[in-house]
């Protein structure tokens, strides 16, 4: 085997090992995710948190990658920045939300304010989700990077009693977990790339 071929094989083995490690570690991260969804009058309020062994700047890059969110967030059809002035942005998002076979289209325009590399707040200014306010925060410590999410909105559809909120919690958990998975994926790729230099 030539030296070049050997290096190529080593690179593929290293990347495969990282991917396998990420797959095996997923349940551990899944257990550390905390999601809490409740009704507060007309509003649904959400809080979520997770601690990850990732680079803070990689996590920030994923959270602020608005044009790519639809690639990995479930039920999001499109997301794009339509204007930017410094740390203030307008972001248009389209997708759907609902229960079982009942799906409601979501079309919203967000006012977004960034405070790099630790905080993003957004407020819905147009669309069919009323009273939408969200906040992502990143905190770095010896334990890792903690991602906190808080949000509230008034759903434009009825939530079934008894089963409605647990299902809503699961929908939001699915989206939050997708964000976490993408942060971990990009962090693993960044580590792999740095080792190849």
């Amino acid at each position: 085997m030539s030296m070049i071929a050997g290096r190529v094989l080593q690179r593929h083995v290293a990347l495969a090992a990282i991917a396998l490690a990420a797959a095996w570690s997923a349940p551990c991260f899944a257990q550390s995710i905390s999601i809490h969804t409740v009704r507060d009058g007309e509003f649904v309020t959400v809080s979520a948190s997770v601690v990850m062994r990732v680079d803070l700047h990689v996590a920030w890059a994923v959270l602020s990658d608005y044009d790519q969110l639809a690639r990995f967030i479930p039920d999001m059809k499109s997301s794009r920045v339509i204007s930017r002035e410094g740390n203030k942005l307008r972001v248009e998002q389209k997708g759907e939300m609902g229960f079982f076979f009942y799906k409601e289209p979501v079309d919203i325009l967000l006012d977004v304010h960034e405070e790099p590399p630790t905080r993003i707040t957004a407020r819905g200014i147009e669309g069919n989700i009323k009273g939408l306010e969200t906040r992502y925060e990143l905190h770095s410590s010896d334990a890792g990077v903690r991602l906190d999410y808080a949000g509230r909105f008034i759903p434009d559809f009825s939530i079934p009693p008894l089963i409605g909120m647990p299902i809503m919690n699961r929908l939001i958990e699915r989206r939050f977990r997708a964000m976490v998975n993408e942060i971990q994926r990009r962090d693993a790729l960044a580590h792999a790339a740095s080792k190849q230099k």
Side-chain angles (χ1 to χ4, degrees):
M1 181 182 293
S2 70
M3 185 176 295
I4 294 175
R7 286 178 181 170
V8 170
L9 179 60
Q10 285 179 340
R11 183 175 300 174
H12 285 298
V13 169
L15 290 173
I18 290 169
L20 185 60
W24 278 104
S25 65
C28 181
F29 282 111
Q31 291 174 1
S32 67
I33 292 177
S34 171
I35 303 277
H36 189 57
T37 307
V38 297
R39 289 300 299 259
D40 181 13
E42 288 186 291
F43 285 90
V44 172
T45 63
V46 184
S47 61
S49 184
V50 66
V51 176
M52 301 171 283
R53 285 288 187 179
V54 298
D55 183 88
L56 174 69
H57 294 91
V58 171
W60 174 263
V62 174
L63 293 179
S64 59
D65 194 5
Y66 312 104
D67 289 333
Q68 296 298 317
L69 293 180
R71 187 177 59 77
F72 57 88
I73 298 296
D75 302 322
M76 185 176 289
K77 305 301 182 185
S78 67
S79 177
R80 66 188 184 101
V81 175
I82 60 174
S83 69
R84 177 189 286 268
E85 292 182 16
N87 291 341
K88 295 182 179 180
L89 305 85
R90 287 278 173 91
V91 178
E92 179 190 72
Q93 294 182 341
K94 297 181 180 182
E96 59 184 20
M97 182 180 285
F99 304 93
F100 305 116
F101 299 108
Y102 175 73
K103 297 287 185 178
E104 187 73 22
V106 173
D107 190 343
I108 193 161
L109 184 63
L110 299 167
D111 256 346
V112 179
H113 181 233
E114 296 180 335
E115 298 175 48
T118 59
R119 184 180 172 101
I120 296 173
T121 56
R123 179 176 60 90
I125 56 173
E126 290 181 14
N128 61 349
I129 298 293
K130 302 174 185 176
L132 177 64
E133 297 177 357
T134 65
R135 182 179 73 251
Y136 282 103
E137 290 185 340
L138 293 166
H139 307 272
S140 187
S141 70
D142 292 341
V145 172
R146 190 177 84 240
L147 170 61
D148 292 324
Y149 169 80
R152 68 178 205 156
F153 63 95
I154 300 174
D156 198 29
F157 50 86
S158 62
I159 298 178
L162 300 179
I163 65 168
M165 289 310 299
I167 294 173
M168 180 66 72
N169 192 81
R170 181 60 183 156
L171 291 173
I172 293 169
E173 179 186 7
R174 185 167 167 249
R175 290 189 170 201
F176 187 75
R177 190 181 302 278
M179 185 74 78
V180 170
N181 289 343
E182 181 66 9
I183 291 171
Q184 292 174 335
R185 186 188 73 83
R186 292 197 200 180
D187 187 72
L189 289 175
H191 279 296
S194 67
K195 290 179 181 179
Q196 297 305 315
K197 292 181 180 179

